[in-house]
Amino acid sequence: MELAAWKNDYNHHRPHSGLGWLTPSAFAKSAMSKQAMALDAAILHVYAPHSYEGEAIASQAQQGINNSRSELKAG
């Protein structure tokens, strides 16, 4: 019982200098979210169409330009 209380205190309540003064549980949560964001960015980079210079084509899109010949007409 005392070991479980110490483990809970150590992992959830006591900040550690080696973890940037975060508790181990808070550090793990922040590391997982950073890893997820990095993975999302890597997936986007791989699957987004790229120009010859390696830039994502989607980032070069211009906003607010309509081409009436490509619009679908209803009716």
Side-chain angles (χ1 to χ4, degrees):
M1 189 65 111
E2 288 181 31
L3 184 58
W6 175 85
K7 182 179 171 183
N8 182 50
D9 179 58
Y10 187 87
N11 288 325
H12 300 283
H13 303 286
R14 185 185 305 175
H16 299 264
S17 62
L19 302 177
W21 297 106
L22 295 173
T23 63
S25 60
F27 181 80
K29 286 178 187 175
S30 72
M32 284 188 283
S33 63
K34 287 178 185 176
Q35 184 179 18
M37 287 189 300
L39 182 59
D40 288 345
I43 290 171
L44 178 63
H45 180 73
V46 168
Y47 290 105
H50 289 76
S51 67
Y52 290 108
E53 291 81 29
E55 291 183 28
I57 292 174
S59 67
Q60 299 172 0
Q62 296 178 0
Q63 299 295 322
I65 296 176
N66 293 325
N67 183 347
S68 61
R69 290 182 286 166
S70 65
E71 294 178 4
L72 293 175
K73 305 287 186 210

